[in-house]
Amino acid sequence: MQFQWYPGHMAKAKKSMQEDIKLIDVIIELVDSRIPYSSKNPDIDTLANGKARILVMNKCDLADSVITDKWIKHYEEKGYFTVCVDSKNNKGMKAVNSVIQKACSKKIERDRRRGILNRPVRAMIVGIPNVGKSTFINSFTGKSCTKTGNKPGVTKGKQWIRLNKNVELLDTPGILWPKFEDQKAGLNLAFTGAIKDELYNIYELSMLLIKFLSENYSDIVESFYQIENKTLSEAEILERIAVRRKCIKNGAKPDLDKAGRYLIDDFRAGRLGRITLEKPDVLLIGENKNV
Ligand code: G4P
């Protein structure tokens, strides 16, 4: 599902998030492993209000694992607990359980000192649209979960999913707004399909993707489309892709929009291989951002 955010929507989402955060022990924020900075909500740090934080690097099956490791190190140094998952193929879910226990160890110890034993920790999943929240919840909860229903005074109107004796999950994910101000982040969100395609011109988007791939993964274009791309311009590469993919318009001209659409779809589906669009060191050096 794709969203248009307006100031009113954001204020409402923020308010509901603030209410939900009061009820939980740990916030589980999902990011897309291909764009761990661009897919991270800019305001969650303020909203989190001192709660334990887990960053789930979702879609790690599509990302470059060497760069994923760098992001993990980067975010762990910032105080997050992290875990990599491929929700679509149910991979990494066991590790999520143990990272929740680790992230909540202080609370569990506090409870123990007060004589409260085995009280489940309460978690909430948050993330921008399309990052994979529903897929993750389905994969993580599996079939064994049960709804615990409302508990008066504590969880008014909220439904909790009892995952096991240690964890309860708020059953509706918090949908967060993406970074709007940052043009580079907007572009990365467009590449991965997290924001509406209509907001971008597909030809320009595909040219920018070719530029990125030529600079960072030049072998991929060459081997996937069987094009000798070292000396070609972006426009020429797209033309060759059009010919390879038989995207031809009337008059036997290459249909560049159609070829661009193929390229973007091949990237999004992971057919080009495992590709990450941003690195923590480059972001830090290049643009002096708080990533
Ligand atoms: P949301 O609730 O956060 O909005 O996201 P949702 O779960 O609907 O997932 C958005 C898309 O991302 C879905 O693809 C879903 O299959 C895909 N996805 C989620 N997690 C992963 C993952 O770990 N790896 C990969 N490769 N894909 C993932 P879709 O094209 O919209 O739907 P479909 O083709 O799966 O039917």
Side-chain angles (χ1 to χ4, degrees):
M1 206 195 309
Q2 290 174 327
F3 282 71
Q4 282 288 73
W5 290 97
Y6 296 104
H9 289 162
M10 275 171 59
K12 212 169 152 206
K14 222 178 234 188
K15 193 156 181 284
S16 127
M17 189 79 50
Q18 272 162 339
E19 290 304 310
D20 287 346
I21 283 172
K22 288 183 196 152
L23 307 173
I24 55 144
D25 303 304
V26 57
I27 301 174
I28 302 177
E29 184 179 8
L30 260 69
V31 293
D32 183 327
S33 299
R34 295 167 297 174
I35 48 169
Y37 165 75
S38 298
S39 58
K40 197 169 175 307
N41 174 265
D43 298 327
I44 191 76
D45 290 329
T46 326
L47 291 170
N49 200 15
K51 299 281 171 169
R53 306 284 301 279
I54 296 174
L55 205 65
V56 172
M57 309 270 294
N58 192 36
K59 308 194 186 186
C60 71
D61 54 306
L62 300 175
D64 183 328
S65 57
V66 174
I67 305 177
T68 300
D69 288 345
K70 289 188 183 171
W71 278 109
I72 286 179
K73 187 165 172 285
H74 171 80
Y75 281 121
E76 287 188 347
E77 279 168 3
K78 284 181 157 268
Y80 290 90
F81 292 84
T82 64
V83 61
C84 279
V85 301
D86 164 5
S87 305
K88 198 166 179 174
N89 299 298
N90 297 320
K91 293 203 177 127
M93 297 302 149
K94 273 200 188 127
V96 177
N97 250 319
S98 52
V99 91
I100 291 176
Q101 296 307 307
K102 241 201 274 175
C104 297
S105 61
K106 280 192 187 138
K107 178 223 174 302
I108 294 167
E109 179 53 26
R110 220 171 31 240
D111 279 357
R112 200 188 58 77
R113 280 202 303 270
R114 290 182 190 150
I116 306 166
L117 295 178
N118 302 327
R119 184 159 75 183
V121 297
R122 294 199 144 174
M124 177 171 71
I125 312 275
V126 301
I128 64 167
N130 247 355
V131 74
K133 296 176 295 301
S134 320
T135 313
F136 174 76
I137 291 178
N138 289 341
S139 176
F140 185 45
T141 55
K143 286 188 188 128
S144 60
C145 59
T146 52
K147 286 198 175 168
T148 57
N150 294 345
K151 289 182 186 164
V154 187
T155 59
K156 205 164 135 219
K158 302 289 172 193
Q159 292 281 311
W160 296 87
I161 303 170
R162 183 79 178 253
L163 293 184
N164 51 43
K165 68 178 178 22
N166 300 319
V167 185
E168 279 183 3
L169 191 68
L170 193 59
D171 84 330
T172 45
I175 300 169
L176 298 174
W177 48 100
K179 294 184 166 81
F180 292 110
E181 314 296 320
D182 185 329
Q183 283 190 3
K184 186 78 180 26
L187 189 60
N188 284 338
L189 292 163
F191 284 146
T192 55
I195 55 176
K196 283 183 196 283
D197 280 340
E198 299 89 82
L199 296 176
Y200 284 86
N201 171 310
I202 197 73
Y203 173 74
E204 281 168 16
L205 196 62
S206 54
M207 295 285 277
L208 289 167
L209 185 58
I210 292 174
K211 183 171 187 306
F212 173 85
L213 293 172
S214 302
E215 287 168 2
N216 296 277
Y217 295 92
S218 63
D219 293 350
I220 283 186
V221 173
E222 193 161 320
S223 62
F224 189 78
Y225 295 109
Q226 297 178 339
I227 295 169
E228 173 59 73
N229 67 348
K230 297 277 185 301
T231 54
L232 301 177
S233 68
E234 283 103 43
E236 287 166 334
I237 293 175
L238 192 59
E239 273 181 31
R240 304 283 166 99
I241 294 174
V243 174
R244 283 263 165 237
R245 286 300 195 103
K246 302 196 174 26
C247 305
I248 306 296
K249 287 199 282 203
N250 35 2
K253 281 194 179 147
D255 185 338
L256 299 182
D257 283 347
K258 199 167 171 190
R261 159 68 39 221
Y262 269 125
L263 170 76
I264 301 276
D265 286 348
D266 286 336
F267 163 71
R268 288 181 184 164
R271 285 189 287 273
L272 298 183
R274 296 166 67 121
I275 293 169
T276 298
L277 298 174
E278 56 195 5
K279 297 178 188 163
D281 39 355
V282 173
L283 273 174
L284 283 170
I285 295 163
E287 295 169 41
N288 193 24
K289 276 189 188 124
N290 180 18
V291 295

